[in-house]
Amino acid sequence: QVQLVESGGGLVQAGGSLRLSCAASGSTSTLDFAAMGWYRQAPGKQRELVAVIRVGNTTNYADSVKGRFTISRDNAKNTMYLHMGSLKPEDTAVYYCNVRNLFPSYVYWGQGTQVTVSS
């Protein structure tokens, strides 16, 4: 079993920056082979994928955050990061950390951290 804990959320003004962290603990021996991602969910909306980082550190981003957000991971620390810049009010949401693996198969979620961007 893997536990994920997000941190770094808060209240910022439009145009500001934040760095989110996701720390993994528990049965972490296979995490180097897993994909990790950030999702977000705004009130009344579906949860959406923000960014993903895979084995080999290949990355993908939602069109809405390309050029503004950067995802990274430190395998030695079992930690993933999301650097968010040029924040907009529409970035306001609860941000969730996600880890998934195929063999063995598992999916884990963190509890989320609130990001609020004021105009």
Side-chain angles (χ1 to χ4, degrees):
Q1 191 174 20
V2 175
Q3 294 80 45
L4 304 174
V5 179
E6 302 96 335
S7 62
L11 173 64
V12 298
Q13 293 184 342
S17 300
L18 282 175
R19 187 185 76 167
L20 305 184
S21 298
C22 173
S25 61
S27 301
T28 61
S29 61
T30 64
L31 289 183
D32 288 353
F33 306 99
M36 306 181 72
W38 288 96
Y39 290 72
R40 68 185 181 187
Q41 187 167 24
K45 293 187 176 182
Q46 297 277 66
R47 188 174 299 184
E48 64 175 347
L49 177 66
V50 176
V52 61
I53 185 165
R54 300 179 174 88
V55 175
N57 290 327
T58 57
T59 59
N60 292 97
Y61 298 90
D63 288 341
S64 59
V65 307
K66 282 183 178 178
R68 300 189 297 118
F69 291 10
T70 301
I71 188 171
S72 62
R73 66 193 293 176
D74 186 336
N75 290 337
K77 297 181 178 180
N78 290 321
T79 302
M80 177 180 61
Y81 306 94
L82 184 67
H83 295 262
M84 305 185 296
S86 300
L87 284 163
K88 305 175 181 179
E90 51 263 44
D91 295 319
T92 296
V94 177
Y95 284 71
Y96 297 91
C97 177
N98 169 271
V99 177
R100 65 181 65 216
N101 200 58
L102 292 178
F103 303 103
S105 177
Y106 57 71
V107 179
Y108 296 102
W109 292 91
Q111 64 181 6
T113 185
Q114 176 71 46
V115 172
T116 303
V117 184
S118 64
S119 59

